[in-house]
């Protein structure tokens, strides 16, 4: 709010009692209006960025000596300006840039998560022998830590046709929310966990998703935090099926050409050996049978010859007797 730098002059109408009362009422109303109501502003920034907080109060540079400016966060002081001389409290030293010309604003550098909160600018003006509050402004500072792009990894196969993937992100603020999406439709994730580091206040989030591996899929991992978000996509293309008769029409498909030749030669050798062995056995059997037959024939012949000479011997014996 701007104030005129011209001194107030006594009005000639003040000689009349009724007009004097009206004039005092107007001055009182003007004085009440000069005490600005708190204007709530919103500033949203990321960690390590710079935040500009404006007091939204204008006045002539000649009036600096009769003003006091106080910036505070909740009930703790940030800085003060008295008679044009700024003083910064220890927690904010080397991180604060004060700008009198820009509505008594100040910039907070290198934002950290603990800087978030409500800041109030209080303006006091010296009037009638004391300082009175002329202006209040409240600014809400939101500080976020941006999550990196999520990481999606495959996490095995719970069953033959089911595949599992995991989405993970860490180092963000405020508290995130994770969603699995496919073609704009939200899927049901499992094992979703959110944890916060007690010192840095940063969050870590992870979630898993099972899907049917027999179909193609285009899945998004979507993480929201405050008014920001990050996402990552995952594409799954089902593997091609094996030819129906490949294993039957191509014997020994697992082996190379040399191995196939060696196997064929081996079987040929085995076959030749088997044939030779069979022939040898047949020849052996025929030979053995022939010998047996020849032996029996000889034995039969000897028996016949023996029987033929018995008669004459017996006859000779009878003649001798």
């Amino acid at each position: 709010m701007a104030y005129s730098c011209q001194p107030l002059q006594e009005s000639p109408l003040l000689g009349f009692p009724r007009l004097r009362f009206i004039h005092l009422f107007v001055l009182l109303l003007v004085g009440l209006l000069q005490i600005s109501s708190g204007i709530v502003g919103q500033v949203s920034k990321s960690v390590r960025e710079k935040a500009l907080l404006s007091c939204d109060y204008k006045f002539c540079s000649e009036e600096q000596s009769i003003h006091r400016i106080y910036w505070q966060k909740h009930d703790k002081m940030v800085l003060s300006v008295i008679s044009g001389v700024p003083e910064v409290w220890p927690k904010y030293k080397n991180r604060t840039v004060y700008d009198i010309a820009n509505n008594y604003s100040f910039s907070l550098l290198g934002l950290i998560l603990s800087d978030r909160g409500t800041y109030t600018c209080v303006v006091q003006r010296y009037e009638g022998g004391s300082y009175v509050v002329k202006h209040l402004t409240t600014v809400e500072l939101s500080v976020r830590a941006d999550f990196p792009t999520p990481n999606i990894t495959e996490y095995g196969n719970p069953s033959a046709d089911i595949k599992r993937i995991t989405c993970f992100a860490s180092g963000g603020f405020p508290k995130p929310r994770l969603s699995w999406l496919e073609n704009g439709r939200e899927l049901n994730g499992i094992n979703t966990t959110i944890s916060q580091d007690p010192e840095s206040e940063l969050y870590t989030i992870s979630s898993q998703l099972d899907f049917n591996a027999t179909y193609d899929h285009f899945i998004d991992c979507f993480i929201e935090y405050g008014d920001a978000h990050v996402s990552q996509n995952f594409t799954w293309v089902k593997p091609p099926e094996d030819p129906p008769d490949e294993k039957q029409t191509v014997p020994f498909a697992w082996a190379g050409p040399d191995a196939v030749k060696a196997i064929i030669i081996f079987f040929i050798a085995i076959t030749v050996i088997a044939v030779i062995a069979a022939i040898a056995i047949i020849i052996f059997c025929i030979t053995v049978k022939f010998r047996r037959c020849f032996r029996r024939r000889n034995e039969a012949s000897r028996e016949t010859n023996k029987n033929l000479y018995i008669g004459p011997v017996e006859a000779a014996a009878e003649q001798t007797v």
Side-chain angles (χ1 to χ4, degrees), residues 31-105:
L32 291 175
L33 292 176
Q34 285 180 342
I35 301 178
S36 305
S37 59
I39 302 175
V40 179
Q42 297 284 341
V43 177
S44 180
K45 294 292 181 179
S46 296
V47 170
R48 294 182 293 274
E49 288 186 345
K50 176 182 73 173
L52 176 65
L53 307 182
S54 175
C55 190
D56 196 31
Y57 182 76
K58 297 179 181 179
F59 55 87
C60 299
S61 58
E62 293 82 1
E63 295 182 341
Q64 289 187 23
S65 60
I66 62 172
H67 282 85
R68 290 177 177 176
I69 312 298
Y70 299 97
W71 272 103
Q72 62 187 43
K73 178 188 176 185
H74 303 303
D75 57 347
K76 296 181 180 180
M77 287 298 302
V78 176
L79 63 88
S80 65
V81 181
I82 298 177
S83 299
V85 178
E87 179 183 1
V88 180
W89 263 245
K91 181 179 178 180
Y92 298 92
K93 280 190 175 181
N94 303 321
R95 299 180 55 219
T96 302
V97 177
Y98 186 66
D99 190 355
I100 297 177
N102 188 15
N103 299 337
Y104 277 107
S105 63

Side-chain angles (χ1 to χ4, degrees), residues 303-320:
E303 288 291 334
T304 303
N305 292 335
K306 184 178 179 181
N307 294 330
L308 290 176
Y309 288 99
I310 290 176
V313 174
E314 294 176 349
E318 290 178 357
Q319 292 177 3
T320 302

